[in-house]
């Protein structure tokens, strides 16, 4: 059963990742072309002019390849030109930020920012304190029912999923309370409201990420860990992911906040590109530094020589594919951002989202299978 577990998890993750990345593109029709030509045809008919319309022949594969190549070249040239515009303005980035903050002030002073930051932090702390009694009650009610060593695999996965649900719920309730307090404090001053919400939502995103990491790696309850990884490795990877997430989410929160305040578009794009680049670099460093423990988790329990060839190959090369994907994702997301196209965000973190959702779905399937056969 353990030998097939990893294959099943990979299948679920692949399905989730495909659903995240898939998107439809509209097709051009001949009807839309004729509709666009209708005014010119009517005008020509009134003036007595003769109009010749030449219908193109069927599009061949060679013509399609040429059009696609020209389209790609055009996009690359436009992205290069816009990157030059964005990069040339990086020296004025700080001045653009100061101008944005000055415009957001109701009286021309900078005191509003300090007050908004303090209000956001106070709202954040208040949300944590108000949810603390609920967390204590949940721990007192359910902790005694959880054995130190689980009896079955289904019991282990059930407790981990329930634990993750509690963590995420507490973070969501705390964020909701903090958001309400920020809105009440800011009133009609939108910049102050954006500032407080950026603080509360950034910390909430960090808590969500922490809830996922701690319930996958389980550094504090190794008896419930479902992956083949030592306690020391699980703790080190968990801490590394926390640091990387804190830095990346802080940069992302600042970018969204400044954009809401009306930051210069080129400065905003440059900040997003540099922020996603820092996130990609940190994830790549984690993949390289901890390639051996994660390779061990990919192989699972048992003798590595008895594993399938594809599983041993993936364990040896997974970090290479991860680094290549991160580089490719950053290039594509940056190009789409420069060209003002949708779907620029989320490419770097899409595999992590797919892994988390896939593990949750796969865990539920294992619980159902064990319950059915038991």
């Amino acid at each position: 059963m353990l030998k097939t577990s990893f294959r099943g998890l990979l299948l679920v993750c692949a399905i989730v990742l495909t659903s995240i990345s898939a998107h439809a593109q509209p097709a051009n029709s001949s009807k839309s072309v004729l509709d666009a030509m209708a005014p010119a045809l009517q005008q020509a008919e009134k003036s007595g002019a003769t109009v010749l319309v030449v219908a193109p022949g069927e599009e061949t594969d060679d013509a399609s390849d040429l059009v696609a190549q020209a389209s790609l070249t055009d996009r690359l040239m436009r992205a290069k030109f816009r990157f030059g515009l964005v990069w040339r303005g990086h020296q004025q980035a700080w001045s653009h930020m100061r101008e944005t903050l000055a415009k957001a002030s109701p009286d021309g002073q900078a005191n509003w920012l300090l007050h908004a930051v303090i209000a956001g932090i106070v709202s954040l702390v208040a949300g944590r304190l108000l949810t603390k009694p609920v967390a204590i009650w949940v721990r007192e009610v359910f902790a005694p029912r959880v054995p130190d060593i689980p009896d079955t695999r289904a019991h282990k996965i059930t407790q981990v999923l329930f634990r993750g649900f509690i963590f995420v719920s507490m973070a969501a309730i705390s964020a909701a309370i903090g958001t309400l307090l920020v809105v009440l404090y800011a009133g009609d001053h939108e910049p102050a409201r954006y500032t407080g919400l950026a603080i509360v939502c950034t910390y909430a995103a960090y808590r969500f990420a922490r809830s996922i990491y701690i319930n996958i790696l389980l550094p504090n309850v190794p008896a419930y860990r479902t992956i083949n990884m030592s306690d020391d490795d699980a703790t080190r990877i968990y801490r590394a992911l926390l640091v990387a997430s804190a830095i990346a989410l802080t940069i992302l929160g600042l970018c969204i906040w400044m954009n809401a305040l009306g930051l210069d578009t080129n400065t905003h794009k440059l900040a997003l590109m540099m922020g996603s680049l820092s996130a990609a670099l940190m994830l790549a460093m984690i993949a390289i530094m901890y390639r051996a423990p994660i390779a061990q988790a990919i192989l699972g329990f048992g003798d590595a020589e008895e594993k399938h060839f594809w599983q041993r190959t993936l364990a040896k090369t997974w970090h290479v594919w991860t680094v290549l994907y991160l580089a490719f994702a950053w290039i594509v997301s940056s190009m789409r951002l420069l060209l003002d196209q949708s779907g620029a965000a989320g490419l770097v973190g899409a595999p992590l989202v797919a892994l988390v959702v896939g593990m949750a779905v796969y865990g539920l399937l294992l619980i159902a299978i064990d319950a059915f056969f038991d």
Side-chain angles (χ1 to χ4, degrees):
M1 183 69 70
L2 288 175
K3 291 182 178 179
T4 59
S5 297
F6 189 77
R7 283 182 291 178
L9 177 58
L10 278 182
L11 177 61
V12 174
C13 292
I15 295 173
V16 174
L17 184 58
T18 303
S19 64
I20 291 175
S21 60
H23 62 277
Q25 297 185 4
N28 295 327
S29 63
S30 59
K31 187 173 184 280
S32 62
V33 176
L34 294 176
D35 292 340
M37 294 175 60
L41 293 174
Q42 294 174 359
Q43 183 65 28
E45 182 179 359
K46 292 178 181 179
S47 61
T50 302
V51 179
L52 295 178
V53 179
V54 180
E58 295 184 358
E59 186 176 348
T60 62
D61 294 337
D62 294 339
S64 301
D65 294 340
L66 290 174
V67 172
Q69 184 178 0
S71 177
L72 177 60
T73 303
D74 178 64
R75 288 198 298 268
L76 290 175
M77 294 300 296
R78 285 189 291 125
K80 180 181 178 181
F81 174 75
R82 294 192 179 186
F83 178 76
L85 294 178
V86 170
W87 182 252
R88 280 196 295 270
H90 77 279
Q91 295 180 349
Q92 289 78 32
W94 290 111
S95 62
H96 290 159
M97 292 181 185
R98 288 194 296 267
E99 292 175 1
T100 302
L101 294 177
K103 292 178 182 179
S105 176
D107 53 3
Q109 303 295 325
N111 293 336
W112 75 270
L113 180 58
L114 178 61
H115 296 164
V117 171
I118 293 176
I121 296 175
V122 170
S123 301
L124 184 66
V125 174
R128 288 297 308 270
L129 292 178
L130 291 176
T131 54
K132 194 70 174 178
V134 180
I136 294 175
W137 175 81
V138 171
R139 187 181 301 112
E140 291 178 351
V141 171
F142 293 100
R145 305 179 183 180
V146 179
D148 295 334
I149 300 177
D151 299 330
T152 62
R153 180 182 63 179
H155 187 210
K156 180 188 297 187
I157 297 175
T158 302
Q159 294 298 333
V160 171
L161 291 177
F162 178 74
R163 185 171 180 255
F165 171 77
I166 294 298
F167 280 25
V168 172
S169 299
M170 291 297 101
I173 295 173
S174 176
I177 295 175
T179 299
L180 178 62
L181 294 176
V182 165
V183 172
L184 292 176
Y185 166 79
D188 296 332
H189 189 213
E190 289 188 353
R193 184 163 65 248
Y194 292 148
T195 304
L197 290 177
I199 295 174
V200 173
C201 293
T202 299
Y203 183 70
Y206 172 78
R207 290 190 65 188
F208 289 147
R210 176 183 176 274
S211 302
I212 294 171
Y213 302 150
I214 198 172
N215 285 288
I216 292 178
L217 298 172
L218 295 165
N220 52 349
V221 280
Y224 283 82
R225 190 178 304 131
T226 57
I227 57 177
N228 184 20
M229 184 176 293
S230 66
D231 297 346
D232 292 338
D233 290 333
T235 302
R236 285 195 291 267
I237 296 175
Y238 169 70
R239 291 174 178 173
L241 288 173
L242 284 184
V243 173
S245 298
I247 296 174
L249 291 173
T250 300
I251 296 175
L252 178 61
L254 288 173
C255 291
I256 296 176
W257 169 60
M258 293 299 294
N259 184 53
L261 295 182
L263 182 65
D264 175 72
T265 303
N266 288 336
T267 305
H268 173 63
K269 289 181 178 180
L270 181 62
L272 278 179
M273 290 171 59
M274 294 300 102
S276 60
L277 177 60
S278 64
L281 290 176
M282 287 185 293
L283 290 176
M285 289 178 59
I286 293 174
I288 295 173
M289 291 174 59
Y290 300 103
R291 58 186 182 277
I294 299 179
Q296 180 180 349
I298 293 174
L299 290 173
F301 299 94
D303 189 3
E305 298 299 329
E306 297 179 358
K307 305 298 180 181
H308 293 285
F309 173 77
W310 67 265
Q311 195 170 356
R312 296 197 306 269
T313 303
L314 180 62
K316 293 178 181 179
T317 61
W318 76 269
H319 58 286
V320 177
W321 299 113
T322 300
V323 172
L324 291 176
Y325 173 81
L326 290 172
F328 173 78
W330 181 79
I331 293 173
V332 173
S333 62
S334 298
M335 282 189 58
R336 298 187 69 85
L337 181 64
L338 290 171
L339 298 177
D340 297 322
Q341 296 177 346
S342 60
L347 286 177
V348 173
L352 184 60
V353 175
L355 176 63
V356 171
V357 176
M359 291 188 70
V361 174
Y362 188 64
L364 293 174
L365 292 176
L366 288 179
I367 293 173
I369 292 173
D370 289 350
F372 177 79
F373 285 103
D374 288 344

